[in-house]
Amino acid sequence: MTHSVNAHPDAARIRDGVVEVIAARTLYDVGQLRPESHFEADLGIDSVIMESVLVSVREHFALSTELPAGPTTIGELIDAVRAALADADAGPDAPVTAEAWSATAEGESDDPVTEAVVAAAMRQTQYQRHQLALDADLEGELGVDSVVLTSVVAEATERLGLAGAAPDVAGATTLRALAAALRDRGAAARDTGAGTGTDTARAEPGRPGTSPGPDRDGWDHRSMKDFTEQRDPDLFAKTRSFAGYLRSREKDRLYWYGMPLHSQCGNRAVIFDELEGRKREFLMFASNNYLGLANHPSVIEAVCDATRTYGATHTGSRFIGGTNMLHKELERRLAAFKQRPACIVYPGGYSANLGAISALVKSYDTLVVDRLNHMSIVDGARLSGAVRKIYRHNDMADLERILSRSAAEGTGGRLVVADGVFSMHGDVCDLPEIVRLAKEYDARVMIDDAHATGVLGVRGSGTAEHFGLKGEVDLELGTMSKTLAGMGGFVVGEEEVVEYLRYYSNSYVFAANIPAGVAAGLIAAIDVIEAEPERLKRLWTNIGTLRDRLLEAGFDLEHSESAILPIVIGDERRAMEMGRAVRARGLFCQTVVYPGVPLGDARLRVSVTCEHTPQDLDLAAEIFVDAARETGVLPGTP
């Protein structure tokens, strides 16, 4: 079948197609996008986003020629597309046209529930309508994680005018299933006479789908998830709602986040308890100072000496007056320590993921990520605008399924990103299989070694060394705020890739980097790691001792193979209550709830260091068992 000019979509469909693309790329609602809207003045679309819009418009309409540069309004872009379609026949091989887009939801567009779900998914994921197949797996094919799904549900609920608690969408793995859950919610509302509008008994003002507050025994069942999508003309309304929730959690001694240290952070630390208004010494199991380098005299001396020589900080980005000779030396030493040709240092580990991913991966590429990756990887994916696909945690069969399908589609490049050590679970990625599958399906690999550097491998250089795969991983990323006892992040890899990152990572180009004193301390930390290998041996002895004690007591530690020991509890209330009981006994560790982990997966996160003594480990095990029995996490004593 061939297409003639007359067979091209009419003006209305062209207009709708262009608007849908802009909505997907900018998160505007289609109702806000008018022909006269100016890209910069009205919509805030800069040249970088505009380039992504133009590429997506060309793909959407299967245009073989470039669109003219410089359209300033949506109307001008619509006219340019109309002219391009009129100038050349799209041909029988055109993969996507506005007609095809219009037919994507054949028979579905008349259903307002499905339409609301698709429209919400477009805004929250930046996908175009034709990319949102109703039966596509939300995680594996669309990259919709639990956080994004929360936003999709909230927006779709608001579009449909549904009041009351958000529907249970835990089992919804496709957009079609999500629409069915919302349809059931609407039917239930009609049956009970709740209708639409505001259900003051269950919903906060301006917040569709908020969970109920305190029940009869005074327990507030809400979590931090319930405040992520509160909508109100006053931007700060959500802050007031959350403030009341936060104060109640603090009053019950359940939220202890951000308490300030009044000492060095070693095996013990003095912390100012803001809830009680006094200083307290705790047995410290919440520090990532795995090899004890933060308090090492050589590291502290190096920081002080360099600060006296070079000043407190520099006053520019690395390209504009902000590069010190110590930055160059640190990059050389990190590359040598990780046994890779080159290294780039970023202001932080978070900015390293943001910068590296967004520089390398674009909207036409595919980012394949583990379901439990760190949030910095998730945000890097969002910033890149790439197609994101999520494979089940450490499930290599699922990874192969995604890579196989992505390779068959043949769209752009592919980057597989995984944590080396998963920060809230303590287990290690299946790097040998990741590398094998990446080679088979022509993908690149980046491993985030934030919690593996200084912990895994004979020399402590990370996951690749641990598995004997040095040189087989394209990019190794790390943070310097954990084992290396400083601040900053880094990426090591081939020299041409690292140089590209220097010029295209916005979080490097447009940010000041770490001070010279910090760089000097990091160099000294590497010196200590290489000169004192017994620290790593002592760390692993301590890990084995405490892990064995906790397992013998009956705790669920999942599949931890690192210095992170998760005590999995599940229920958020019980986890917070056990955390409170642990702190009351003088031990400080992290209570992890949403968004650190998904709802229903709450836990205590225990970090072991080489500085813990045998007596510390014995006391910690005793405290965890006593607190667990008090709160019902473990059975009580006979």
Side-chain angles (χ1 to χ4, degrees):
M1 175 182 177
T2 60
H3 295 267
S4 66
V5 172
N6 292 333
H8 284 305
D10 58 24
R13 287 185 175 178
I14 295 173
R15 179 200 63 215
D16 290 345
V18 170
V19 167
E20 294 281 15
V21 170
I22 297 172
R25 286 283 162 237
T26 64
L27 300 185
Y28 277 107
D29 187 272
V30 293
Q32 299 172 290
L33 301 173
R34 300 179 176 86
E36 65 273 16
S37 297
H38 192 282
F39 286 120
E40 288 190 343
D42 296 326
L43 303 176
I45 296 176
D46 60 23
S47 60
V48 176
I49 299 175
M50 192 65 204
E51 181 62 29
S52 174
V53 168
L54 293 176
V55 169
S56 296
V57 167
R58 283 191 61 203
E59 293 176 349
H60 187 80
F61 291 100
L63 300 177
S64 58
T65 58
E66 295 284 344
L67 288 166
T72 60
T73 67
I74 292 176
E76 289 179 11
L77 181 55
I78 292 170
D79 290 341
V81 172
R82 185 184 296 116
L85 289 170
D87 285 344
D89 192 295
D93 297 324
V96 179
T97 68
E99 285 177 326
W101 162 78
S102 180
T104 299
E106 181 179 357
E108 302 286 352
S109 59
D110 293 335
D111 174 19
V113 178
T114 300
E115 177 60 29
V117 168
V118 171
M122 288 175 60
R123 270 180 38 85
Q124 299 298 335
T125 65
Q126 298 187 339
Y127 280 118
Q128 298 172 46
R129 184 178 295 264
H130 71 268
Q131 295 174 305
L132 292 171
L134 295 180
D135 294 312
D137 183 79
L138 288 175
E139 288 195 342
E141 295 177 70
L142 300 179
V144 176
D145 59 24
S146 60
V147 176
V148 175
L149 183 59
T150 298
S151 300
V152 171
V153 171
E155 180 169 333
T157 301
E158 183 180 47
R159 286 174 178 269
L160 294 167
L162 296 176
D168 181 10
V169 298
T173 59
T174 66
L175 292 176
R176 192 185 301 279
L178 179 56
L182 288 174
R183 197 175 293 111
D184 292 343
R185 174 70 182 85
R190 288 191 298 272
D191 290 343
T192 59
T196 59
T198 303
D199 180 354
T200 56
R202 295 181 66 81
E204 293 181 10
R207 170 65 170 100
T210 302
S211 297
D215 59 16
R216 289 189 182 90
D217 69 357
W219 175 253
D220 189 338
H221 286 275
R222 294 175 299 176
S223 74
M224 286 180 61
K225 182 177 182 179
D226 290 292
F227 302 93
T228 60
E229 287 294 330
Q230 181 172 332
R231 303 178 187 202
D232 193 283
D234 179 1
L235 185 64
F236 292 168
K238 63 175 72 72
T239 70
R240 292 189 292 272
S241 298
F242 177 67
Y245 168 83
L246 178 61
R247 297 290 88 81
S248 69
R249 287 288 192 251
E250 290 176 338
K251 180 181 178 181
D252 291 335
R253 303 290 197 270
L254 297 174
Y255 271 26
W256 267 52
Y257 305 116
M259 296 295 182
L261 286 159
H262 274 254
S263 70
Q264 291 185 344
C265 192
N267 63 323
R268 294 178 180 269
V270 176
I271 296 175
F272 184 79
D273 182 345
E274 294 177 325
L275 301 179
E276 295 188 4
R278 66 184 179 92
K279 296 178 184 178
R280 298 174 60 189
E281 183 180 74
F282 287 90
L283 188 59
M284 175 55 70
F285 279 86
S287 171
N288 298 320
N289 185 27
Y290 298 124
L291 296 184
L293 302 180
N295 307 318
H296 195 285
S298 297
V299 175
I300 295 173
E301 183 179 357
V303 173
C304 294
D305 288 347
T307 301
R308 293 189 187 97
T309 301
Y310 297 104
T313 188
H314 41 77
T315 56
S317 70
R318 286 288 298 270
F319 281 161
I320 308 175
T323 294
N324 184 281
M325 61 174 290
L326 290 172
H327 291 126
K328 295 279 192 178
E329 175 64 10
L330 174 61
E331 288 174 339
R332 186 189 71 80
R333 289 297 303 279
L334 283 168
F337 177 62
K338 300 286 280 187
Q339 297 180 326
R340 297 308 309 277
C343 173
I344 174 175
V345 166
Y346 290 84
Y350 209 104
S351 62
N353 263 322
L354 292 182
I357 292 172
S358 62
L360 292 169
V361 184
K362 298 304 176 184
S363 61
Y364 39 81
D365 297 317
T366 300
L367 196 67
V368 184
V369 298
D370 189 288
R371 187 174 185 268
L372 297 183
N373 276 348
H374 191 265
M375 189 58 71
S376 58
I377 297 172
V378 175
D379 285 349
R382 290 172 178 162
L383 184 61
S384 74
V387 174
R388 182 169 63 126
K389 299 184 184 296
I390 304 172
Y391 61 92
R392 290 187 292 271
H393 178 51
N394 253 349
D395 186 331
M396 296 298 100
D398 199 37
L399 173 59
E400 181 167 23
R401 179 184 66 83
I402 290 172
L403 286 174
S404 175
R405 181 172 296 183
S406 176
E409 293 169 354
T411 54
R414 289 169 294 283
L415 179 66
V416 181
V417 185
D419 286 353
V421 171
F422 292 89
S423 60
M424 296 300 161
H425 300 261
D427 55 343
V428 179
C429 72
D430 188 350
L431 187 59
E433 271 298 283
I434 291 174
V435 169
R436 184 188 72 79
L437 290 171
K439 289 181 178 179
E440 182 175 348
Y441 293 100
D442 196 25
R444 297 291 185 177
V445 174
M446 183 170 83
I447 297 299
D448 184 342
D449 263 353
H451 292 275
T453 300
V455 176
L456 295 186
V458 176
R459 298 170 50 254
S461 72
T463 311
E465 182 190 32
H466 175 72
F467 286 106
L469 291 170
K470 272 298 175 186
E472 298 295 315
V473 178
D474 297 294
L475 294 171
E476 297 173 58
L477 181 145
T479 177
M480 272 103 67
S481 60
K482 297 176 175 58
T483 300
L484 295 177
M487 284 299 296
F490 65 91
V491 176
V492 297
E494 295 300 321
E495 189 159 352
E496 62 266 28
V497 180
V498 169
E499 286 305 307
Y500 183 90
L501 293 178
R502 286 193 200 282
Y503 286 85
Y504 288 94
S505 292
N506 288 345
S507 60
Y508 175 90
V509 175
F510 298 103
N513 216 307
I514 58 176
V518 174
L522 291 165
I523 294 168
I526 297 172
D527 288 339
V528 175
I529 291 174
E530 294 175 340
E532 301 180 17
E534 63 272 14
R535 288 177 174 267
L536 184 58
K537 294 177 182 177
R538 192 160 65 246
L539 169 64
W540 278 99
T541 297
N542 288 350
I543 292 169
T545 298
L546 185 57
R547 181 170 56 196
D548 289 347
R549 291 288 302 276
L550 295 178
L551 288 173
E552 288 170 6
F555 287 110
D556 178 6
L557 304 184
E558 291 186 323
H559 305 289
S560 174
E561 300 178 80
S562 68
I564 299 166
L565 301 178
I567 298 179
V568 182
I569 298 168
D571 179 72
E572 190 165 288
R573 176 179 183 176
R574 184 160 288 183
M576 288 190 288
E577 289 174 342
M578 180 170 167
R580 178 177 60 191
V582 165
R583 289 188 296 272
R585 289 167 167 80
L587 186 148
F588 198 92
C589 70
Q590 296 171 341
T591 304
V592 184
V593 296
Y594 182 92
V597 290
L599 289 178
D601 202 25
R603 62 195 54 215
L604 301 190
R605 180 182 182 275
V606 181
S607 299
V608 183
T609 77
C610 73
E611 294 186 304
H612 288 126
T613 67
Q615 293 76 24
D616 293 334
L617 302 174
D618 288 341
L619 179 57
E622 180 182 329
I623 287 173
F624 285 125
V625 170
D626 289 346
R629 287 174 175 165
E630 175 189 315
T631 55
V633 172
L634 290 179
T637 54

